[in-house]
Short mmCIF file of all heavy atoms in Angstrom, two decimals:
data_model
loop_
_atom_site.label_atom_id
_atom_site.label_comp_id
_atom_site.label_asym_id
_atom_site.label_seq_id
_atom_site.Cartn_x
_atom_site.Cartn_y
_atom_site.Cartn_z
N PRO H 1 83.52 118.50 87.60
CA PRO H 1 82.70 119.40 86.80
C PRO H 1 82.18 120.56 87.65
O PRO H 1 82.05 120.45 88.85
CB PRO H 1 81.56 118.53 86.31
CG PRO H 1 81.91 117.13 86.67
CD PRO H 1 83.01 117.16 87.65
N GLU H 2 81.86 121.62 86.99
CA GLU H 2 81.36 122.79 87.69
C GLU H 2 79.90 122.64 88.08
O GLU H 2 79.46 123.20 89.06
CB GLU H 2 81.54 124.03 86.82
CG GLU H 2 82.99 124.39 86.61
CD GLU H 2 83.15 125.63 85.76
OE1 GLU H 2 82.21 126.42 85.66
OE2 GLU H 2 84.24 125.80 85.19
N VAL H 3 79.14 121.90 87.28
CA VAL H 3 77.72 121.74 87.55
C VAL H 3 77.44 120.28 87.87
O VAL H 3 77.79 119.39 87.10
CB VAL H 3 76.88 122.18 86.32
CG1 VAL H 3 75.41 121.98 86.58
CG2 VAL H 3 77.18 123.62 85.96
N TYR H 4 76.82 120.07 89.02
CA TYR H 4 76.44 118.71 89.41
C TYR H 4 74.94 118.56 89.27
O TYR H 4 74.18 119.44 89.65
CB TYR H 4 76.84 118.42 90.86
CG TYR H 4 78.33 118.31 91.04
CD1 TYR H 4 79.08 119.39 91.48
CD2 TYR H 4 78.98 117.12 90.77
CE1 TYR H 4 80.45 119.29 91.65
CE2 TYR H 4 80.34 117.01 90.93
CZ TYR H 4 81.07 118.09 91.38
OH TYR H 4 82.42 117.98 91.54
N GLU H 5 74.54 117.45 88.72
CA GLU H 5 73.12 117.18 88.55
C GLU H 5 72.69 116.22 89.65
O GLU H 5 73.33 115.19 89.88
CB GLU H 5 72.89 116.55 87.19
CG GLU H 5 71.44 116.36 86.84
CD GLU H 5 71.29 115.82 85.43
OE1 GLU H 5 72.06 116.22 84.55
OE2 GLU H 5 70.39 114.99 85.24
N GLU H 6 71.62 116.56 90.36
CA GLU H 6 71.15 115.71 91.44
C GLU H 6 70.44 114.49 90.87
O GLU H 6 69.64 114.59 89.94
CB GLU H 6 70.20 116.50 92.33
CG GLU H 6 69.84 115.76 93.60
CD GLU H 6 69.08 116.63 94.58
OE1 GLU H 6 69.36 117.84 94.63
OE2 GLU H 6 68.20 116.09 95.25
N LEU H 7 70.76 113.33 91.44
CA LEU H 7 70.13 112.09 91.00
C LEU H 7 68.70 112.02 91.54
O LEU H 7 68.46 112.39 92.69
CB LEU H 7 70.89 110.88 91.57
CG LEU H 7 72.16 110.44 90.89
CD1 LEU H 7 72.80 109.32 91.68
CD2 LEU H 7 71.89 109.98 89.49
N PRO H 8 67.79 111.52 90.74
CA PRO H 8 66.45 111.26 91.28
C PRO H 8 66.55 110.22 92.40
O PRO H 8 67.45 109.36 92.39
CB PRO H 8 65.67 110.70 90.09
CG PRO H 8 66.43 111.16 88.88
CD PRO H 8 67.86 111.27 89.31
N GLU H 9 65.66 110.29 93.36
CA GLU H 9 65.72 109.42 94.54
C GLU H 9 65.73 107.94 94.17
O GLU H 9 66.49 107.17 94.74
CB GLU H 9 64.54 109.74 95.47
CG GLU H 9 64.59 109.02 96.79
CD GLU H 9 65.74 109.43 97.68
OE1 GLU H 9 66.37 110.49 97.45
OE2 GLU H 9 66.04 108.68 98.62
N ASP H 10 64.90 107.53 93.21
CA ASP H 10 64.85 106.11 92.85
C ASP H 10 66.16 105.64 92.22
O ASP H 10 66.61 104.52 92.47
CB ASP H 10 63.66 105.81 91.95
CG ASP H 10 63.64 106.65 90.67
OD1 ASP H 10 64.25 107.73 90.66
OD2 ASP H 10 63.01 106.20 89.69
N GLU H 11 66.81 106.49 91.43
CA GLU H 11 68.11 106.14 90.84
C GLU H 11 69.18 106.04 91.92
O GLU H 11 70.04 105.16 91.88
CB GLU H 11 68.53 107.17 89.79
CG GLU H 11 67.82 107.03 88.48
CD GLU H 11 68.37 108.00 87.44
OE1 GLU H 11 69.60 108.20 87.40
OE2 GLU H 11 67.56 108.56 86.68
N ARG H 12 69.14 106.97 92.88
CA ARG H 12 70.11 106.97 93.97
C ARG H 12 69.98 105.69 94.79
O ARG H 12 70.98 105.03 95.09
CB ARG H 12 69.91 108.20 94.86
CG ARG H 12 70.98 108.35 95.93
CD ARG H 12 70.66 109.47 96.89
NE ARG H 12 69.48 109.16 97.70
CZ ARG H 12 69.49 108.34 98.76
NH1 ARG H 12 70.60 107.73 99.12
NH2 ARG H 12 68.39 108.13 99.44
N ILE H 13 68.75 105.32 95.10
CA ILE H 13 68.52 104.10 95.89
C ILE H 13 68.97 102.87 95.10
O ILE H 13 69.60 101.97 95.66
CB ILE H 13 67.03 104.00 96.29
CG1 ILE H 13 66.72 105.09 97.32
CG2 ILE H 13 66.71 102.62 96.85
CD1 ILE H 13 65.25 105.23 97.65
N ALA H 14 68.69 102.83 93.81
CA ALA H 14 69.11 101.70 92.98
C ALA H 14 70.64 101.62 92.93
O ALA H 14 71.21 100.52 92.99
CB ALA H 14 68.54 101.84 91.57
N LEU H 15 71.29 102.77 92.84
CA LEU H 15 72.76 102.80 92.80
C LEU H 15 73.35 102.33 94.13
O LEU H 15 74.30 101.54 94.14
CB LEU H 15 73.23 104.22 92.46
CG LEU H 15 74.71 104.40 92.22
CD1 LEU H 15 75.23 103.47 91.13
CD2 LEU H 15 75.00 105.85 91.84
N VAL H 16 72.77 102.78 95.23
CA VAL H 16 73.24 102.34 96.55
C VAL H 16 73.07 100.83 96.69
O VAL H 16 73.97 100.13 97.16
CB VAL H 16 72.51 103.10 97.68
CG1 VAL H 16 72.78 102.45 99.03
CG2 VAL H 16 72.93 104.56 97.71
N ASN H 17 71.92 100.31 96.26
CA ASN H 17 71.68 98.87 96.35
C ASN H 17 72.66 98.08 95.48
O ASN H 17 73.15 97.02 95.88
CB ASN H 17 70.24 98.54 95.97
CG ASN H 17 69.26 99.00 97.04
OD1 ASN H 17 69.62 99.18 98.20
ND2 ASN H 17 68.02 99.21 96.64
N ALA H 18 72.96 98.60 94.30
CA ALA H 18 73.94 97.93 93.43
C ALA H 18 75.33 97.95 94.06
O ALA H 18 76.06 96.95 94.00
CB ALA H 18 73.97 98.61 92.06
N LEU H 19 75.69 99.06 94.68
CA LEU H 19 76.99 99.15 95.35
C LEU H 19 77.07 98.19 96.53
O LEU H 19 78.10 97.56 96.76
CB LEU H 19 77.27 100.58 95.82
CG LEU H 19 77.66 101.58 94.74
CD1 LEU H 19 77.66 103.00 95.29
CD2 LEU H 19 79.03 101.24 94.17
N LYS H 20 75.97 98.06 97.26
CA LYS H 20 75.95 97.13 98.39
C LYS H 20 76.09 95.70 97.90
O LYS H 20 76.78 94.88 98.53
CB LYS H 20 74.68 97.31 99.21
CG LYS H 20 74.70 98.59 100.04
CD LYS H 20 73.44 98.75 100.85
CE LYS H 20 73.50 100.04 101.67
NZ LYS H 20 72.28 100.23 102.47
N ALA H 21 75.46 95.37 96.78
CA ALA H 21 75.58 94.02 96.21
C ALA H 21 77.02 93.77 95.76
O ALA H 21 77.57 92.68 95.98
CB ALA H 21 74.62 93.85 95.04
N LYS H 22 77.64 94.78 95.16
CA LYS H 22 79.04 94.64 94.73
C LYS H 22 79.94 94.47 95.96
O LYS H 22 80.86 93.66 95.95
CB LYS H 22 79.47 95.84 93.91
CG LYS H 22 80.92 95.77 93.47
CD LYS H 22 81.17 96.58 92.24
CE LYS H 22 82.62 96.54 91.84
NZ LYS H 22 82.97 95.38 91.07
N TRP H 23 79.66 95.23 97.02
CA TRP H 23 80.45 95.12 98.24
C TRP H 23 80.34 93.70 98.80
O TRP H 23 81.34 93.11 99.21
CB TRP H 23 79.98 96.14 99.28
CG TRP H 23 80.85 96.17 100.50
CD1 TRP H 23 81.94 96.96 100.70
CD2 TRP H 23 80.72 95.36 101.68
NE1 TRP H 23 82.49 96.69 101.93
CE2 TRP H 23 81.76 95.72 102.55
CE3 TRP H 23 79.82 94.38 102.07
CZ2 TRP H 23 81.93 95.13 103.80
CZ3 TRP H 23 80.00 93.78 103.32
CH2 TRP H 23 81.03 94.16 104.16
N ASP H 24 79.13 93.13 98.81
CA ASP H 24 78.93 91.76 99.29
C ASP H 24 79.76 90.77 98.48
O ASP H 24 80.38 89.87 99.02
CB ASP H 24 77.46 91.37 99.23
CG ASP H 24 76.63 92.04 100.32
OD1 ASP H 24 77.20 92.49 101.33
OD2 ASP H 24 75.40 92.13 100.14
N SER H 25 79.78 90.96 97.16
CA SER H 25 80.52 90.08 96.28
C SER H 25 82.03 90.17 96.55
O SER H 25 82.71 89.15 96.69
CB SER H 25 80.22 90.42 94.83
OG SER H 25 81.06 89.73 93.96
N VAL H 26 82.54 91.39 96.62
CA VAL H 26 83.98 91.60 96.86
C VAL H 26 84.34 91.10 98.26
O VAL H 26 85.38 90.47 98.45
CB VAL H 26 84.37 93.08 96.66
CG1 VAL H 26 85.81 93.33 97.07
CG2 VAL H 26 84.14 93.50 95.23
N ASN H 27 83.47 91.34 99.23
CA ASN H 27 83.74 90.90 100.59
C ASN H 27 83.80 89.38 100.68
O ASN H 27 84.63 88.83 101.41
CB ASN H 27 82.69 91.46 101.55
CG ASN H 27 83.04 91.21 102.99
OD1 ASN H 27 84.14 91.49 103.43
ND2 ASN H 27 82.10 90.66 103.73
N ALA H 28 82.95 88.70 99.93
CA ALA H 28 82.98 87.23 99.91
C ALA H 28 84.33 86.73 99.39
O ALA H 28 84.91 85.80 99.94
CB ALA H 28 81.84 86.69 99.06
N GLN H 29 84.84 87.38 98.34
CA GLN H 29 86.16 87.01 97.82
C GLN H 29 87.24 87.29 98.86
O GLN H 29 88.15 86.49 99.05
CB GLN H 29 86.47 87.82 96.55
CG GLN H 29 85.61 87.49 95.37
CD GLN H 29 85.89 88.43 94.20
OE1 GLN H 29 86.88 89.14 94.18
NE2 GLN H 29 84.99 88.43 93.23
N TYR H 30 87.13 88.44 99.52
CA TYR H 30 88.11 88.83 100.53
C TYR H 30 88.11 87.84 101.71
O TYR H 30 89.17 87.45 102.19
CB TYR H 30 87.80 90.24 101.02
CG TYR H 30 88.74 90.75 102.08
CD1 TYR H 30 90.04 91.10 101.76
CD2 TYR H 30 88.32 90.89 103.39
CE1 TYR H 30 90.91 91.58 102.71
CE2 TYR H 30 89.18 91.36 104.36
CZ TYR H 30 90.47 91.71 104.02
OH TYR H 30 91.33 92.16 104.99
N GLN H 31 86.93 87.42 102.14
CA GLN H 31 86.82 86.50 103.27
C GLN H 31 87.48 85.15 102.96
O GLN H 31 87.98 84.49 103.86
CB GLN H 31 85.36 86.29 103.67
CG GLN H 31 84.70 87.51 104.25
CD GLN H 31 85.38 88.00 105.51
OE1 GLN H 31 85.76 87.21 106.37
NE2 GLN H 31 85.55 89.31 105.63
N LYS H 32 87.48 84.76 101.71
CA LYS H 32 88.09 83.48 101.33
C LYS H 32 89.60 83.48 101.53
O LYS H 32 90.19 82.44 101.77
CB LYS H 32 87.77 83.14 99.87
CG LYS H 32 86.34 82.76 99.66
CD LYS H 32 86.06 82.46 98.20
CE LYS H 32 84.60 82.17 97.97
NZ LYS H 32 84.27 82.00 96.57
N ILE H 33 90.23 84.66 101.41
CA ILE H 33 91.69 84.69 101.56
C ILE H 33 92.14 85.18 102.93
O ILE H 33 93.30 85.02 103.28
CB ILE H 33 92.36 85.54 100.45
CG1 ILE H 33 91.94 86.99 100.54
CG2 ILE H 33 92.13 84.95 99.09
CD1 ILE H 33 92.74 87.91 99.65
N THR H 34 91.23 85.76 103.73
CA THR H 34 91.66 86.29 105.02
C THR H 34 91.94 85.19 106.03
O THR H 34 92.64 85.43 107.02
CB THR H 34 90.64 87.27 105.62
OG1 THR H 34 89.38 86.63 105.71
CG2 THR H 34 90.54 88.52 104.78
N HIS H 35 91.41 84.00 105.81
CA HIS H 35 91.68 82.92 106.76
C HIS H 35 93.11 82.38 106.62
O HIS H 35 93.57 81.66 107.49
CB HIS H 35 90.65 81.79 106.58
CG HIS H 35 90.86 80.99 105.34
ND1 HIS H 35 90.39 81.41 104.12
CD2 HIS H 35 91.49 79.81 105.13
CE1 HIS H 35 90.74 80.51 103.20
NE2 HIS H 35 91.40 79.54 103.78
N LEU H 36 93.78 82.74 105.54
CA LEU H 36 95.17 82.31 105.37
C LEU H 36 96.04 83.06 106.37
O LEU H 36 96.05 84.29 106.41
CB LEU H 36 95.65 82.60 103.94
CG LEU H 36 94.92 81.89 102.81
CD1 LEU H 36 95.43 82.39 101.47
CD2 LEU H 36 95.11 80.39 102.93
N VAL H 37 96.75 82.32 107.19
CA VAL H 37 97.60 82.94 108.20
C VAL H 37 98.82 83.57 107.55
O VAL H 37 99.26 84.64 107.93
CB VAL H 37 98.04 81.89 109.25
CG1 VAL H 37 98.97 82.50 110.27
CG2 VAL H 37 96.82 81.27 109.92
N LYS H 38 99.33 82.90 106.53
CA LYS H 38 100.54 83.36 105.88
C LYS H 38 100.26 83.50 104.38
O LYS H 38 99.89 82.53 103.72
CB LYS H 38 101.66 82.35 106.12
CG LYS H 38 102.98 82.72 105.55
CD LYS H 38 104.02 81.67 105.91
CE LYS H 38 105.32 81.95 105.23
NZ LYS H 38 106.29 80.88 105.48
N LEU H 39 100.41 84.71 103.89
CA LEU H 39 100.26 84.93 102.45
C LEU H 39 101.61 84.66 101.80
O LEU H 39 102.56 85.42 101.98
CB LEU H 39 99.77 86.35 102.17
CG LEU H 39 98.40 86.69 102.74
CD1 LEU H 39 98.07 88.15 102.50
CD2 LEU H 39 97.33 85.80 102.13
N ASP H 40 101.71 83.53 101.09
CA ASP H 40 102.99 83.04 100.59
C ASP H 40 103.54 83.82 99.40
O ASP H 40 104.73 84.02 99.30
CB ASP H 40 102.87 81.56 100.21
CG ASP H 40 102.61 80.68 101.42
OD1 ASP H 40 102.87 81.14 102.55
OD2 ASP H 40 102.16 79.54 101.22
N THR H 41 102.68 84.22 98.52
CA THR H 41 103.18 84.80 97.28
C THR H 41 102.82 86.28 97.18
O THR H 41 101.91 86.76 97.86
CB THR H 41 102.58 84.07 96.05
OG1 THR H 41 101.19 84.31 96.02
CG2 THR H 41 102.86 82.58 96.11
N THR H 42 103.54 86.96 96.33
CA THR H 42 103.22 88.38 96.13
C THR H 42 101.86 88.53 95.47
O THR H 42 101.18 89.52 95.70
CB THR H 42 104.30 89.06 95.25
OG1 THR H 42 104.42 88.36 94.02
CG2 THR H 42 105.63 89.10 95.96
N GLY H 43 101.46 87.54 94.67
CA GLY H 43 100.14 87.57 94.05
C GLY H 43 99.03 87.53 95.09
O GLY H 43 98.05 88.27 94.99
N GLN H 44 99.17 86.67 96.10
CA GLN H 44 98.17 86.60 97.17
C GLN H 44 98.11 87.91 97.93
O GLN H 44 97.03 88.42 98.25
CB GLN H 44 98.50 85.47 98.14
CG GLN H 44 98.27 84.09 97.58
CD GLN H 44 98.73 83.01 98.54
OE1 GLN H 44 99.66 83.20 99.32
NE2 GLN H 44 98.07 81.85 98.46
N LEU H 45 99.27 88.47 98.24
CA LEU H 45 99.33 89.74 98.96
C LEU H 45 98.73 90.86 98.14
O LEU H 45 97.94 91.67 98.65
CB LEU H 45 100.79 90.06 99.32
CG LEU H 45 101.02 91.25 100.23
CD1 LEU H 45 100.30 91.06 101.56
CD2 LEU H 45 102.50 91.44 100.47
N ARG H 46 99.06 90.92 96.87
CA ARG H 46 98.52 91.95 95.98
C ARG H 46 97.01 91.83 95.84
O ARG H 46 96.28 92.82 95.88
CB ARG H 46 99.19 91.85 94.60
CG ARG H 46 98.87 93.03 93.71
CD ARG H 46 99.60 93.01 92.37
NE ARG H 46 100.89 92.36 92.35
CZ ARG H 46 101.13 91.22 91.69
NH1 ARG H 46 100.21 90.63 90.98
NH2 ARG H 46 102.34 90.70 91.70
N ARG H 47 96.51 90.59 95.73
CA ARG H 47 95.07 90.35 95.62
C ARG H 47 94.36 90.84 96.88
O ARG H 47 93.33 91.51 96.81
CB ARG H 47 94.81 88.86 95.41
CG ARG H 47 93.42 88.55 94.94
CD ARG H 47 93.26 87.08 94.52
NE ARG H 47 94.31 86.66 93.59
CZ ARG H 47 95.19 85.68 93.84
NH1 ARG H 47 95.16 85.03 94.97
NH2 ARG H 47 96.11 85.36 92.95
N LYS H 48 94.94 90.54 98.05
CA LYS H 48 94.35 90.96 99.32
C LYS H 48 94.32 92.49 99.40
O LYS H 48 93.29 93.09 99.76
CB LYS H 48 95.14 90.39 100.49
CG LYS H 48 94.61 90.80 101.85
CD LYS H 48 95.45 90.14 102.95
CE LYS H 48 94.98 90.55 104.31
NZ LYS H 48 95.52 91.83 104.74
N GLU H 49 95.40 93.14 99.04
CA GLU H 49 95.47 94.60 99.09
C GLU H 49 94.49 95.24 98.11
O GLU H 49 93.86 96.25 98.41
CB GLU H 49 96.90 95.08 98.82
CG GLU H 49 97.85 94.74 99.94
CD GLU H 49 99.31 95.01 99.59
OE1 GLU H 49 99.61 95.27 98.40
OE2 GLU H 49 100.14 94.96 100.50
N THR H 50 94.37 94.64 96.93
CA THR H 50 93.44 95.15 95.93
C THR H 50 92.00 95.04 96.42
O THR H 50 91.21 95.97 96.28
CB THR H 50 93.59 94.39 94.60
OG1 THR H 50 94.94 94.56 94.13
CG2 THR H 50 92.63 94.90 93.55
N LEU H 51 91.66 93.89 97.02
CA LEU H 51 90.30 93.71 97.54
C LEU H 51 90.02 94.69 98.68
O LEU H 51 88.93 95.25 98.76
CB LEU H 51 90.11 92.27 98.01
CG LEU H 51 90.05 91.22 96.90
CD1 LEU H 51 90.04 89.81 97.49
CD2 LEU H 51 88.83 91.42 96.02
N GLU H 52 91.01 94.91 99.55
CA GLU H 52 90.83 95.87 100.64
C GLU H 52 90.58 97.27 100.10
O GLU H 52 89.70 97.99 100.58
CB GLU H 52 92.05 95.87 101.56
CG GLU H 52 92.17 94.63 102.42
CD GLU H 52 93.48 94.55 103.18
OE1 GLU H 52 94.43 95.31 102.84
OE2 GLU H 52 93.56 93.75 104.12
N ALA H 53 91.35 97.67 99.09
CA ALA H 53 91.18 98.99 98.50
C ALA H 53 89.81 99.11 97.83
O ALA H 53 89.14 100.15 97.93
CB ALA H 53 92.30 99.26 97.50
N THR H 54 89.39 98.05 97.16
CA THR H 54 88.09 98.06 96.49
C THR H 54 86.96 98.18 97.50
O THR H 54 86.02 98.96 97.32
CB THR H 54 87.91 96.79 95.64
OG1 THR H 54 88.97 96.71 94.69
CG2 THR H 54 86.57 96.79 94.91
N LEU H 55 87.06 97.42 98.60
CA LEU H 55 86.03 97.50 99.65
C LEU H 55 85.95 98.91 100.23
O LEU H 55 84.86 99.45 100.43
CB LEU H 55 86.32 96.48 100.75
CG LEU H 55 86.05 95.03 100.41
CD1 LEU H 55 86.59 94.11 101.49
CD2 LEU H 55 84.58 94.78 100.19
N THR H 56 87.10 99.51 100.48
CA THR H 56 87.13 100.86 101.03
C THR H 56 86.50 101.86 100.07
O THR H 56 85.71 102.72 100.47
CB THR H 56 88.58 101.28 101.35
OG1 THR H 56 89.13 100.34 102.27
CG2 THR H 56 88.64 102.67 101.95
N LYS H 57 86.82 101.74 98.79
CA LYS H 57 86.25 102.66 97.79
C LYS H 57 84.74 102.52 97.71
O LYS H 57 84.01 103.51 97.66
CB LYS H 57 86.88 102.42 96.43
CG LYS H 57 86.37 103.38 95.36
CD LYS H 57 87.12 103.24 94.08
CE LYS H 57 86.66 104.15 92.98
NZ LYS H 57 85.50 104.97 93.20
N ILE H 58 84.26 101.28 97.70
CA ILE H 58 82.82 101.05 97.63
C ILE H 58 82.13 101.61 98.88
O ILE H 58 81.08 102.24 98.79
CB ILE H 58 82.51 99.55 97.45
CG1 ILE H 58 83.00 99.07 96.07
CG2 ILE H 58 81.01 99.29 97.58
CD1 ILE H 58 82.93 97.57 95.88
N GLU H 59 82.75 101.38 100.06
CA GLU H 59 82.18 101.91 101.30
C GLU H 59 82.09 103.44 101.24
O GLU H 59 81.07 104.02 101.64
CB GLU H 59 83.02 101.48 102.49
CG GLU H 59 82.89 100.01 102.82
CD GLU H 59 83.96 99.52 103.78
OE1 GLU H 59 84.80 100.33 104.24
OE2 GLU H 59 83.95 98.31 104.08
N ASN H 60 83.12 104.08 100.74
CA ASN H 60 83.12 105.54 100.63
C ASN H 60 82.04 106.02 99.65
O ASN H 60 81.36 107.01 99.90
CB ASN H 60 84.49 106.07 100.20
CG ASN H 60 85.54 105.90 101.26
OD1 ASN H 60 85.22 105.77 102.44
ND2 ASN H 60 86.79 105.88 100.87
N ASP H 61 81.88 105.32 98.54
CA ASP H 61 80.86 105.68 97.57
C ASP H 61 79.45 105.54 98.17
O ASP H 61 78.59 106.38 97.96
CB ASP H 61 80.97 104.81 96.32
CG ASP H 61 82.22 105.12 95.50
OD1 ASP H 61 82.83 106.19 95.73
OD2 ASP H 61 82.57 104.30 94.63
N ILE H 62 79.24 104.46 98.93
CA ILE H 62 77.93 104.26 99.57
C ILE H 62 77.65 105.37 100.56
O ILE H 62 76.56 105.94 100.59
CB ILE H 62 77.86 102.87 100.25
CG1 ILE H 62 77.84 101.76 99.19
CG2 ILE H 62 76.62 102.76 101.15
CD1 ILE H 62 77.99 100.37 99.76
N GLN H 63 78.65 105.73 101.37
CA GLN H 63 78.47 106.81 102.34
C GLN H 63 78.16 108.13 101.64
O GLN H 63 77.32 108.89 102.08
CB GLN H 63 79.72 106.97 103.20
CG GLN H 63 79.87 105.89 104.24
CD GLN H 63 81.14 106.05 105.06
OE1 GLN H 63 81.99 106.88 104.75
NE2 GLN H 63 81.25 105.27 106.12
N ARG H 64 78.83 108.39 100.56
CA ARG H 64 78.63 109.63 99.81
C ARG H 64 77.20 109.71 99.27
O ARG H 64 76.57 110.76 99.28
CB ARG H 64 79.64 109.72 98.68
CG ARG H 64 79.75 111.10 98.06
CD ARG H 64 80.88 111.22 97.08
NE ARG H 64 82.17 110.87 97.69
CZ ARG H 64 83.03 110.01 97.15
NH1 ARG H 64 82.78 109.43 96.00
NH2 ARG H 64 84.17 109.74 97.75
N LEU H 65 76.67 108.57 98.81
CA LEU H 65 75.33 108.56 98.25
C LEU H 65 74.24 108.53 99.33
O LEU H 65 73.10 108.91 99.05
CB LEU H 65 75.16 107.36 97.32
CG LEU H 65 75.87 107.46 96.00
CD1 LEU H 65 75.85 106.12 95.28
CD2 LEU H 65 75.24 108.53 95.12
N ASP H 66 74.56 108.08 100.52
CA ASP H 66 73.57 108.02 101.60
C ASP H 66 73.35 109.37 102.27
O ASP H 66 72.47 109.51 103.09
CB ASP H 66 73.98 106.99 102.65
CG ASP H 66 73.51 105.59 102.29
OD1 ASP H 66 72.63 105.47 101.42
OD2 ASP H 66 74.02 104.64 102.88
N ARG H 67 74.13 110.36 101.94
CA ARG H 67 73.97 111.68 102.57
C ARG H 67 72.69 112.33 102.16
O ARG H 67 72.15 112.20 101.15
CB ARG H 67 75.13 112.60 102.19
CG ARG H 67 76.41 112.17 102.82
CD ARG H 67 77.48 113.17 102.51
NE ARG H 67 78.77 112.60 102.93
CZ ARG H 67 79.91 113.11 102.61
NH1 ARG H 67 79.99 114.19 101.89
NH2 ARG H 67 81.02 112.57 103.01
#
């Protein structure tokens, strides 16, 4: 969009906290599969890649809001 509206500080902090909670949740799922030495199926590999991408996106969103 051409016009960006600045978030009020309390909304920004609430959004960052919600993103951090989501990151914790996704990271917990990711940690459960990272101990597997060998990912046997394409489903396991796809799940791992999806979780990695999700974690990266959430991290980027948190950094963007912390500026």
Side-chain angles (χ1 to χ4, degrees):
E2 293 181 21
V3 178
Y4 290 97
E5 186 176 323
E6 189 171 326
L7 281 175
E9 187 66 16
D10 57 336
E11 283 185 39
R12 186 187 67 78
I13 291 171
L15 187 55
V16 168
N17 289 337
L19 284 170
K20 287 180 180 180
K22 179 156 178 83
W23 186 91
D24 286 339
S25 171
V26 173
N27 188 50
Q29 293 174 14
Y30 179 72
Q31 293 299 318
K32 289 179 184 175
I33 63 170
T34 56
H35 73 278
L36 298 174
V37 177
K38 182 178 174 184
L39 298 175
D40 294 341
T41 66
T42 56
Q44 289 175 330
L45 188 59
R46 190 176 330 113
R47 195 171 310 119
K48 179 178 179 277
E49 291 171 349
T50 301
L51 290 172
E52 288 172 345
T54 302
L55 287 171
T56 302
K57 182 173 180 355
I58 294 171
E59 289 167 2
N60 291 338
D61 291 344
I62 290 171
Q63 285 179 351
R64 194 171 304 129
L65 287 169
D66 274 344
R67 290 185 190 169

